[in-house]
Amino acid sequence: MPFLELQPFGVTDAGKVRQNNEDALLVGDGEDETLFVVADGIGGFEAGEVASSLAVEVLKELRPDRSFKTAMAEANRKILAAGRTDEKLSGMGTTVVAIRFGGTQSEPLAEVAHVGDSRAYLVRGGEMNPITEDHSLVAELVRSGDLTRDQAAEHPQKNLITRALGADEDVAVDTTVLPIEANDRVLLCSDGLSDMVPETRISELLLDSPEDPERAARDLLAAALDAGGNDNITVIVVDVKEQAPPPRLVRRREGQSGTSEMRAVEPQVQPQESRTPPRESPRRAQDRARRHHRAARRKRRGAFRRALGALVRGLAILAVLAIALVPAYLWGSSRYFFAFDGGDVVAYQGLPYAPLGFELNREWRRPGVKESDIKEPYREPIENHKLYTESQAQKVLGDLGS
Ligand code: MN
């Protein structure tokens, strides 16, 4: 089973008619780097902007182990509360469409949640299909058979939505879970795209540049602008790609070398260790001159060590920045996995692979359990580096200990 990685690109534009951009987006830069969000704010003056960014702020804090519905309810409360305290913000609201990736290496999944008429589409096997159904008047008329999809696209009330965050104390969020495969492409967009560009054209543009999410997103934006750009336009394209097996994860099979070993290489940069001072050897009290000399040398060495420490820390920060800037968001560094290391079970924080030679994991816990003690059904998730959230990993550690 291949390792999967996410390659996203998001873009937003005020369009050609509106002064403000009331859309907001999140492109994998929240607590959960597999989470992508488009929100389209509603409300006069700048209230729409406030509502959509409030929704994105709340979702940005959403941890991988917390539910979408809880976060949506919280965003709803915050938008309502802000509207009550400020006259200008009263009546504001926002649509939201969000997707996050998860599951296991052998069964990758995506969870989609939405309220309103911002949309999610899935491109697979050369075909584009909608994942979401609009919460809008015309979409309801299409569902009841009173309008065709084409008539809906031309309908004067096509922008009337029937659900939004900030509209009511209770908000009904639609969620769906779908299995994910390598080479899937997901599109999230606001109605500034889907109202201006017909679905057939959106699909063509997505199929035109299968290897380049940035080009796909930019082409879609350009098409919406060319069609008039009447509304704010937001587009996120997320590609699911196969990744080569981890180059630095060494694994020897039983029988080949006499031992079964799985080893994740230690991080190359370890600023903590380089700051540890050396152990002093005992010295005689009367040898003051020598001691003084040594103290001075130690002081110089200390300064050198501190400078080296600063340099190493600087390099570590650079390494982190380099990872953050690579537009390939990985399945989640807030993840944990288990592996066998020299006959022991070891828990690692991070991901079981190393893009561009950067290690993305570090040893987290060594529960003192032998590989030979692990029974058959429990070996599979360890051998396949099943990914866990921190609380799940804690639970597995508890189960291993008992
Ligand atoms: Mn809009």
Side-chain angles (χ1 to χ4, degrees):
M1 181 56 67
F3 289 92
L4 297 177
E5 68 171 22
L6 301 176
Q7 297 177 353
F9 191 84
V11 63
T12 187
D13 193 285
K16 287 185 165 172
V17 175
R18 305 218 171 163
Q19 297 292 313
N20 301 332
N21 191 346
E22 301 190 321
D23 287 0
L25 74 171
L26 181 69
V27 190
D29 50 353
E31 275 287 304
D32 181 345
E33 58 264 53
T34 74
L35 173 63
F36 305 90
V37 182
V38 168
D40 178 353
I42 310 143
F45 304 99
E46 278 156 33
E49 257 167 279
V50 175
S52 60
S53 35
L54 270 175
V56 164
E57 270 168 41
V58 170
L59 286 164
K60 202 169 182 174
E61 302 298 319
L62 178 64
R63 293 164 42 114
D65 56 340
R66 300 297 304 281
S67 88
F68 259 148
K69 289 200 175 183
T70 319
M72 295 281 198
E74 189 191 336
N76 189 48
R77 268 197 306 279
K78 284 203 166 156
I79 293 165
L80 282 169
R84 275 193 293 269
T85 52
D86 188 338
E87 178 87 8
K88 288 199 294 293
L89 301 181
S90 119
M92 70 177 173
T94 187
T95 72
V96 177
V97 61
I99 187 167
R100 63 174 170 185
F101 295 82
T104 63
Q105 196 198 330
S106 52
E107 274 179 273
L109 301 171
E111 185 186 8
V112 178
H114 86 291
V115 176
D117 65 353
S118 296
R119 295 181 180 174
Y121 289 94
L122 175 67
V123 180
R124 177 182 291 168
E127 256 183 53
M128 181 182 87
N129 284 296
I131 303 171
T132 53
E133 283 189 349
D134 291 352
H135 302 138
S136 69
L137 181 67
V138 294
E140 273 164 27
L141 292 173
V142 170
R143 281 195 285 278
S144 65
D146 293 315
L147 280 183
T148 66
R149 229 176 145 84
D150 288 338
Q151 286 171 327
E154 302 297 320
H155 201 277
Q157 262 91 51
K158 67 181 177 184
N159 296 112
L160 270 184
I161 56 174
T162 49
R163 284 193 223 172
L165 294 187
D168 209 340
E169 293 294 332
D170 285 316
V171 61
V173 180
D174 280 1
T175 58
T176 174
V177 171
L178 58 146
I180 285 295
E181 297 171 4
N183 301 317
D184 280 351
R185 167 174 275 183
V186 171
L187 166 69
L188 301 185
C189 66
S190 62
D191 63 347
L193 174 72
S194 51
D195 276 357
M196 303 304 299
V197 184
E199 274 183 340
T200 49
R201 184 71 190 132
I202 292 176
S203 163
E204 278 171 14
L205 289 170
L206 285 170
L207 293 168
D208 268 357
S209 48
E211 300 303 323
D212 190 345
E214 174 169 358
R215 211 193 104 196
R218 291 199 183 283
D219 287 352
L220 289 168
L221 170 62
L225 289 169
D226 287 348
N230 292 346
D231 191 6
N232 307 142
I233 304 146
T234 304
V235 177
I236 299 176
V237 174
V238 186
D239 283 350
V240 178
K241 289 293 175 195
E242 240 173 62
Q243 194 179 28
R248 303 183 61 117
L249 199 68
V250 183
R251 179 176 184 173
R252 263 177 268 140
R253 279 222 155 271
E254 213 137 8
Q256 282 172 353
S257 65
T259 57
S260 171
E261 192 183 6
M262 187 178 294
R263 205 154 45 84
V265 179
E266 286 295 310
Q268 290 144 321
V269 184
Q270 294 180 309
Q272 293 296 331
E273 261 179 33
S274 62
R275 283 206 302 269
T276 313
R279 247 175 229 288
E280 283 175 39
S281 57
R283 258 164 278 130
R284 275 175 299 175
Q286 69 263 37
D287 200 350
R288 285 166 199 277
R290 214 167 123 202
R291 190 200 283 174
H292 182 262
H293 178 69
R294 281 199 181 172
R297 204 167 64 189
R298 215 167 37 238
K299 212 170 182 179
R300 283 198 302 276
R301 210 191 285 160
F304 174 68
R305 216 169 270 281
R306 276 193 298 279
L308 186 67
L311 177 68
V312 170
R313 278 194 299 280
L315 288 175
I317 289 165
L318 270 184
V320 169
L321 282 180
I323 291 166
L325 293 175
V326 174
Y329 283 86
L330 298 154
W331 225 242
S333 63
S334 44
R335 298 293 207 266
Y336 297 78
F337 66 96
F338 292 79
F340 296 122
D341 175 38
D344 289 332
V345 176
V346 179
Y348 294 89
Q349 181 181 20
L351 295 156
Y353 37 74
L356 306 171
F358 287 112
E359 292 302 331
L360 286 185
N361 58 64
R362 63 186 183 85
E363 187 173 319
W364 178 58
R365 298 277 193 280
R366 202 173 267 263
V369 177
K370 293 276 161 230
E371 179 181 351
S372 50
D373 295 336
I374 305 293
K375 304 242 181 331
E376 201 45 61
Y378 305 106
R379 299 183 67 88
E380 192 260 289
I382 300 177
E383 284 176 344
N384 287 336
H385 310 311
K386 181 181 176 187
L387 294 172
Y388 298 94
T389 62
E390 185 178 355
S391 58
Q392 289 166 340
Q394 292 279 14
K395 193 174 174 300
V396 174
L397 278 175
D399 293 345
L400 283 174
S402 61

mmCIF file of all heavy atoms in Angstrom, residues 228-262:
data_model
loop_
_atom_site.group_PDB
_atom_site.id
_atom_site.type_symbol
_atom_site.label_atom_id
_atom_site.label_comp_id
_atom_site.label_asym_id
_atom_site.label_seq_id
_atom_site.Cartn_x
_atom_site.Cartn_y
_atom_site.Cartn_z
ATOM 1 N N GLY A 228 -16.945 37.309 -15.932
ATOM 2 C CA GLY A 228 -17.537 38.523 -15.346
ATOM 3 C C GLY A 228 -17.080 38.797 -13.923
ATOM 4 O O GLY A 228 -17.075 39.930 -13.481
ATOM 5 N N GLY A 229 -16.716 37.766 -13.201
ATOM 6 C CA GLY A 229 -16.225 37.946 -11.825
ATOM 7 C C GLY A 229 -17.180 38.737 -10.953
ATOM 8 O O GLY A 229 -16.762 39.614 -10.195
ATOM 9 N N ASN A 230 -18.480 38.396 -11.035
ATOM 10 C CA ASN A 230 -19.506 39.176 -10.317
ATOM 11 C C ASN A 230 -19.430 39.055 -8.808
ATOM 12 O O ASN A 230 -19.994 39.864 -8.097
ATOM 13 C CB ASN A 230 -20.904 38.705 -10.747
ATOM 14 C CG ASN A 230 -21.195 39.067 -12.183
ATOM 15 O OD1 ASN A 230 -20.480 39.886 -12.783
ATOM 16 N ND2 ASN A 230 -22.229 38.465 -12.761
ATOM 17 N N ASP A 231 -18.788 38.022 -8.320
ATOM 18 C CA ASP A 231 -18.766 37.756 -6.876
ATOM 19 C C ASP A 231 -17.323 37.433 -6.488
ATOM 20 O O ASP A 231 -16.462 37.244 -7.340
ATOM 21 C CB ASP A 231 -19.705 36.564 -6.590
ATOM 22 C CG ASP A 231 -19.984 36.359 -5.107
ATOM 23 O OD1 ASP A 231 -19.557 37.192 -4.279
ATOM 24 O OD2 ASP A 231 -20.640 35.340 -4.784
ATOM 25 N N ASN A 232 -17.093 37.367 -5.198
ATOM 26 C CA ASN A 232 -15.788 36.906 -4.716
ATOM 27 C C ASN A 232 -15.615 35.446 -5.131
ATOM 28 O O ASN A 232 -16.584 34.682 -5.125
ATOM 29 C CB ASN A 232 -15.708 36.987 -3.190
ATOM 30 C CG ASN A 232 -16.068 38.357 -2.630
ATOM 31 O OD1 ASN A 232 -16.692 38.457 -1.593
ATOM 32 N ND2 ASN A 232 -15.696 39.423 -3.329
ATOM 33 N N ILE A 233 -14.377 35.110 -5.495
ATOM 34 C CA ILE A 233 -14.105 33.756 -6.021
ATOM 35 C C ILE A 233 -13.051 33.083 -5.145
ATOM 36 O O ILE A 233 -11.974 33.652 -4.921
ATOM 37 C CB ILE A 233 -13.552 33.837 -7.462
ATOM 38 C CG1 ILE A 233 -14.510 34.612 -8.361
ATOM 39 C CG2 ILE A 233 -13.271 32.439 -8.017
ATOM 40 C CD1 ILE A 233 -13.795 35.423 -9.432
ATOM 41 N N THR A 234 -13.370 31.888 -4.657
ATOM 42 C CA THR A 234 -12.380 31.123 -3.889
ATOM 43 C C THR A 234 -12.326 29.694 -4.403
ATOM 44 O O THR A 234 -13.367 29.070 -4.624
ATOM 45 C CB THR A 234 -12.718 31.133 -2.385
ATOM 46 O OG1 THR A 234 -12.801 32.483 -1.966
ATOM 47 C CG2 THR A 234 -11.653 30.419 -1.574
ATOM 48 N N VAL A 235 -11.117 29.223 -4.611
ATOM 49 C CA VAL A 235 -10.897 27.891 -5.174
ATOM 50 C C VAL A 235 -9.777 27.204 -4.393
ATOM 51 O O VAL A 235 -8.710 27.781 -4.205
ATOM 52 C CB VAL A 235 -10.457 27.995 -6.665
ATOM 53 C CG1 VAL A 235 -10.162 26.622 -7.228
ATOM 54 C CG2 VAL A 235 -11.504 28.718 -7.496
ATOM 55 N N ILE A 236 -10.040 25.989 -3.926
ATOM 56 C CA ILE A 236 -8.957 25.159 -3.377
ATOM 57 C C ILE A 236 -8.954 23.836 -4.138
ATOM 58 O O ILE A 236 -10.003 23.194 -4.267
ATOM 59 C CB ILE A 236 -9.141 24.870 -1.867
ATOM 60 C CG1 ILE A 236 -9.156 26.168 -1.049
ATOM 61 C CG2 ILE A 236 -8.033 23.946 -1.361
ATOM 62 C CD1 ILE A 236 -9.429 25.948 0.446
ATOM 63 N N VAL A 237 -7.797 23.475 -4.650
ATOM 64 C CA VAL A 237 -7.647 22.177 -5.299
ATOM 65 C C VAL A 237 -6.688 21.351 -4.448
ATOM 66 O O VAL A 237 -5.596 21.823 -4.109
ATOM 67 C CB VAL A 237 -7.098 22.323 -6.741
ATOM 68 C CG1 VAL A 237 -6.817 20.953 -7.357
ATOM 69 C CG2 VAL A 237 -8.090 23.114 -7.600
ATOM 70 N N VAL A 238 -7.108 20.154 -4.050
ATOM 71 C CA VAL A 238 -6.245 19.277 -3.246
ATOM 72 C C VAL A 238 -6.021 17.983 -4.025
ATOM 73 O O VAL A 238 -6.977 17.270 -4.345
ATOM 74 C CB VAL A 238 -6.876 18.921 -1.880
ATOM 75 C CG1 VAL A 238 -5.883 18.143 -1.030
ATOM 76 C CG2 VAL A 238 -7.349 20.166 -1.147
ATOM 77 N N ASP A 239 -4.775 17.690 -4.326
ATOM 78 C CA ASP A 239 -4.443 16.448 -5.015
ATOM 79 C C ASP A 239 -3.934 15.420 -4.011
ATOM 80 O O ASP A 239 -3.156 15.746 -3.120
ATOM 81 C CB ASP A 239 -3.367 16.699 -6.076
ATOM 82 C CG ASP A 239 -3.949 17.358 -7.305
ATOM 83 O OD1 ASP A 239 -5.183 17.453 -7.417
ATOM 84 O OD2 ASP A 239 -3.154 17.797 -8.165
ATOM 85 N N VAL A 240 -4.384 14.195 -4.180
ATOM 86 C CA VAL A 240 -3.897 13.089 -3.362
ATOM 87 C C VAL A 240 -2.913 12.315 -4.224
ATOM 88 O O VAL A 240 -3.276 11.811 -5.291
ATOM 89 C CB VAL A 240 -5.054 12.162 -2.933
ATOM 90 C CG1 VAL A 240 -4.521 10.994 -2.115
ATOM 91 C CG2 VAL A 240 -6.101 12.941 -2.154
ATOM 92 N N LYS A 241 -1.668 12.277 -3.793
ATOM 93 C CA LYS A 241 -0.632 11.648 -4.618
ATOM 94 C C LYS A 241 0.043 10.515 -3.874
ATOM 95 O O LYS A 241 0.185 10.546 -2.653
ATOM 96 C CB LYS A 241 0.410 12.709 -5.009
ATOM 97 C CG LYS A 241 -0.126 13.724 -6.016
ATOM 98 C CD LYS A 241 -0.389 13.068 -7.355
ATOM 99 C CE LYS A 241 -1.030 14.031 -8.334
ATOM 100 N NZ LYS A 241 -1.618 13.337 -9.494
ATOM 101 N N GLU A 242 0.488 9.558 -4.657
ATOM 102 C CA GLU A 242 1.261 8.460 -4.101
ATOM 103 C C GLU A 242 2.658 8.956 -3.819
ATOM 104 O O GLU A 242 3.232 9.694 -4.609
ATOM 105 C CB GLU A 242 1.364 7.359 -5.152
ATOM 106 C CG GLU A 242 0.780 6.061 -4.709
ATOM 107 C CD GLU A 242 0.760 5.068 -5.842
ATOM 108 O OE1 GLU A 242 1.841 4.735 -6.336
ATOM 109 O OE2 GLU A 242 -0.351 4.656 -6.227
ATOM 110 N N GLN A 243 3.190 8.504 -2.706
ATOM 111 C CA GLN A 243 4.559 8.865 -2.421
ATOM 112 C C GLN A 243 5.411 7.610 -2.453
ATOM 113 O O GLN A 243 4.960 6.544 -2.069
ATOM 114 C CB GLN A 243 4.659 9.528 -1.048
ATOM 115 C CG GLN A 243 5.989 10.204 -0.867
ATOM 116 C CD GLN A 243 6.098 10.873 0.475
ATOM 117 O OE1 GLN A 243 5.476 10.451 1.438
ATOM 118 N NE2 GLN A 243 6.900 11.889 0.552
ATOM 119 N N ALA A 244 6.662 7.771 -2.916
ATOM 120 C CA ALA A 244 7.585 6.640 -2.932
ATOM 121 C C ALA A 244 7.736 6.138 -1.501
ATOM 122 O O ALA A 244 7.618 6.902 -0.567
ATOM 123 C CB ALA A 244 8.923 7.083 -3.484
ATOM 124 N N PRO A 245 8.017 4.839 -1.311
ATOM 125 C CA PRO A 245 8.170 4.323 0.052
ATOM 126 C C PRO A 245 9.265 5.079 0.790
ATOM 127 O O PRO A 245 10.186 5.606 0.163
ATOM 128 C CB PRO A 245 8.539 2.861 -0.153
ATOM 129 C CG PRO A 245 8.671 2.636 -1.600
ATOM 130 C CD PRO A 245 8.180 3.823 -2.332
ATOM 131 N N PRO A 246 9.171 5.143 2.106
ATOM 132 C CA PRO A 246 10.108 5.940 2.884
ATOM 133 C C PRO A 246 11.545 5.500 2.639
ATOM 134 O O PRO A 246 11.886 4.346 2.913
ATOM 135 C CB PRO A 246 9.694 5.670 4.325
ATOM 136 C CG PRO A 246 8.865 4.437 4.276
ATOM 137 C CD PRO A 246 8.208 4.427 2.941
ATOM 138 N N PRO A 247 12.394 6.391 2.122
ATOM 139 C CA PRO A 247 13.753 5.995 1.772
ATOM 140 C C PRO A 247 14.629 5.711 2.988
ATOM 141 O O PRO A 247 15.581 4.974 2.905
ATOM 142 C CB PRO A 247 14.282 7.204 1.011
ATOM 143 C CG PRO A 247 13.444 8.361 1.463
ATOM 144 C CD PRO A 247 12.106 7.794 1.829
ATOM 145 N N ARG A 248 14.279 6.291 4.152
ATOM 146 C CA ARG A 248 15.185 6.158 5.286
ATOM 147 C C ARG A 248 14.659 5.211 6.347
ATOM 148 O O ARG A 248 15.204 5.121 7.421
ATOM 149 C CB ARG A 248 15.446 7.528 5.890
ATOM 150 C CG ARG A 248 15.995 8.503 4.873
ATOM 151 C CD ARG A 248 16.293 9.793 5.546
ATOM 152 N NE ARG A 248 17.298 9.557 6.571
ATOM 153 C CZ ARG A 248 18.491 10.105 6.545
ATOM 154 N NH1 ARG A 248 18.831 10.884 5.573
ATOM 155 N NH2 ARG A 248 19.343 9.887 7.502
ATOM 156 N N LEU A 249 13.565 4.558 6.028
ATOM 157 C CA LEU A 249 13.013 3.621 6.990
ATOM 158 C C LEU A 249 13.557 2.243 6.635
ATOM 159 O O LEU A 249 13.221 1.682 5.608
ATOM 160 C CB LEU A 249 11.494 3.641 6.924
ATOM 161 C CG LEU A 249 10.760 3.088 8.121
ATOM 162 C CD1 LEU A 249 10.964 3.994 9.330
ATOM 163 C CD2 LEU A 249 9.301 2.976 7.805
ATOM 164 N N VAL A 250 14.441 1.725 7.453
ATOM 165 C CA VAL A 250 15.122 0.479 7.126
ATOM 166 C C VAL A 250 14.323 -0.689 7.686
ATOM 167 O O VAL A 250 13.910 -0.667 8.829
ATOM 168 C CB VAL A 250 16.544 0.474 7.724
ATOM 169 C CG1 VAL A 250 17.300 -0.778 7.329
ATOM 170 C CG2 VAL A 250 17.290 1.717 7.291
ATOM 171 N N ARG A 251 14.114 -1.688 6.881
ATOM 172 C CA ARG A 251 13.363 -2.834 7.366
ATOM 173 C C ARG A 251 14.000 -4.119 6.851
ATOM 174 O O ARG A 251 14.213 -4.282 5.670
ATOM 175 C CB ARG A 251 11.931 -2.737 6.865
ATOM 176 C CG ARG A 251 11.104 -3.901 7.315
ATOM 177 C CD ARG A 251 9.696 -3.710 6.883
ATOM 178 N NE ARG A 251 8.907 -4.799 7.411
ATOM 179 C CZ ARG A 251 7.602 -4.869 7.334
ATOM 180 N NH1 ARG A 251 6.935 -3.914 6.748
ATOM 181 N NH2 ARG A 251 6.953 -5.875 7.819
ATOM 182 N N ARG A 252 14.326 -4.995 7.785
ATOM 183 C CA ARG A 252 14.876 -6.281 7.375
ATOM 184 C C ARG A 252 13.911 -7.368 7.804
ATOM 185 O O ARG A 252 13.451 -7.391 8.943
ATOM 186 C CB ARG A 252 16.258 -6.492 8.009
ATOM 187 C CG ARG A 252 17.379 -6.112 7.060
ATOM 188 C CD ARG A 252 18.727 -6.251 7.721
ATOM 189 N NE ARG A 252 19.130 -5.002 8.341
ATOM 190 C CZ ARG A 252 19.744 -4.925 9.511
ATOM 191 N NH1 ARG A 252 20.020 -6.008 10.192
ATOM 192 N NH2 ARG A 252 20.090 -3.765 10.006
ATOM 193 N N ARG A 253 13.626 -8.275 6.906
ATOM 194 C CA ARG A 253 12.652 -9.325 7.216
ATOM 195 C C ARG A 253 13.288 -10.446 8.005
ATOM 196 O O ARG A 253 14.471 -10.734 7.850
ATOM 197 C CB ARG A 253 12.058 -9.898 5.922
ATOM 198 C CG ARG A 253 10.969 -9.062 5.372
ATOM 199 C CD ARG A 253 9.823 -9.957 4.892
ATOM 200 N NE ARG A 253 8.568 -9.240 4.890
ATOM 201 C CZ ARG A 253 7.762 -9.182 5.946
ATOM 202 N NH1 ARG A 253 8.066 -9.786 7.061
ATOM 203 N NH2 ARG A 253 6.630 -8.531 5.871
ATOM 204 N N GLU A 254 12.492 -11.064 8.825
ATOM 205 C CA GLU A 254 12.955 -12.206 9.600
ATOM 206 C C GLU A 254 13.460 -13.280 8.646
ATOM 207 O O GLU A 254 12.857 -13.517 7.604
ATOM 208 C CB GLU A 254 11.803 -12.757 10.428
ATOM 209 C CG GLU A 254 12.234 -13.321 11.735
ATOM 210 C CD GLU A 254 11.298 -12.921 12.873
ATOM 211 O OE1 GLU A 254 10.242 -12.343 12.603
ATOM 212 O OE2 GLU A 254 11.665 -13.179 14.009
ATOM 213 N N GLY A 255 14.564 -13.927 8.975
ATOM 214 C CA GLY A 255 15.075 -14.981 8.113
ATOM 215 C C GLY A 255 16.176 -14.472 7.198
ATOM 216 O O GLY A 255 17.042 -15.216 6.798
ATOM 217 N N GLN A 256 16.137 -13.177 6.884
ATOM 218 C CA GLN A 256 17.163 -12.635 5.997
ATOM 219 C C GLN A 256 18.419 -12.302 6.786
ATOM 220 O O GLN A 256 19.528 -12.551 6.349
ATOM 221 C CB GLN A 256 16.650 -11.378 5.281
ATOM 222 C CG GLN A 256 15.733 -11.754 4.123
ATOM 223 C CD GLN A 256 15.051 -10.547 3.519
ATOM 224 O OE1 GLN A 256 15.155 -9.442 4.022
ATOM 225 N NE2 GLN A 256 14.348 -10.773 2.436
ATOM 226 N N SER A 257 18.223 -11.718 7.966
ATOM 227 C CA SER A 257 19.384 -11.298 8.724
ATOM 228 C C SER A 257 19.370 -11.904 10.126
ATOM 229 O O SER A 257 20.226 -11.619 10.923
ATOM 230 C CB SER A 257 19.403 -9.777 8.840
ATOM 231 O OG SER A 257 18.280 -9.375 9.590
ATOM 232 N N GLY A 258 18.376 -12.720 10.381
ATOM 233 C CA GLY A 258 18.276 -13.327 11.701
ATOM 234 C C GLY A 258 17.413 -12.499 12.640
ATOM 235 O O GLY A 258 16.849 -13.007 13.576
ATOM 236 N N THR A 259 17.269 -11.215 12.375
ATOM 237 C CA THR A 259 16.415 -10.377 13.213
ATOM 238 C C THR A 259 15.439 -9.609 12.333
ATOM 239 O O THR A 259 15.690 -9.393 11.161
ATOM 240 C CB THR A 259 17.227 -9.343 14.017
ATOM 241 O OG1 THR A 259 17.967 -8.558 13.088
ATOM 242 C CG2 THR A 259 18.152 -9.997 15.003
ATOM 243 N N SER A 260 14.340 -9.241 12.938
ATOM 244 C CA SER A 260 13.378 -8.398 12.243
ATOM 245 C C SER A 260 13.515 -7.005 12.826
ATOM 246 O O SER A 260 13.446 -6.819 14.023
ATOM 247 C CB SER A 260 11.973 -8.923 12.469
ATOM 248 O OG SER A 260 11.044 -7.997 11.963
ATOM 249 N N GLU A 261 13.775 -6.066 11.949
ATOM 250 C CA GLU A 261 14.094 -4.740 12.466
ATOM 251 C C GLU A 261 13.418 -3.665 11.632
ATOM 252 O O GLU A 261 13.386 -3.751 10.415
ATOM 253 C CB GLU A 261 15.610 -4.560 12.410
ATOM 254 C CG GLU A 261 16.084 -3.350 13.170
ATOM 255 C CD GLU A 261 17.588 -3.180 13.031
ATOM 256 O OE1 GLU A 261 18.217 -3.920 12.275
ATOM 257 O OE2 GLU A 261 18.104 -2.275 13.677
ATOM 258 N N MET A 262 12.874 -2.719 12.317
ATOM 259 C CA MET A 262 12.327 -1.579 11.613
ATOM 260 C C MET A 262 12.830 -0.346 12.334
ATOM 261 O O MET A 262 12.684 -0.216 13.539
ATOM 262 C CB MET A 262 10.805 -1.628 11.656
ATOM 263 C CG MET A 262 10.178 -0.567 10.811
ATOM 264 S SD MET A 262 8.414 -0.703 10.855
ATOM 265 C CE MET A 262 8.168 -2.255 10.040
#
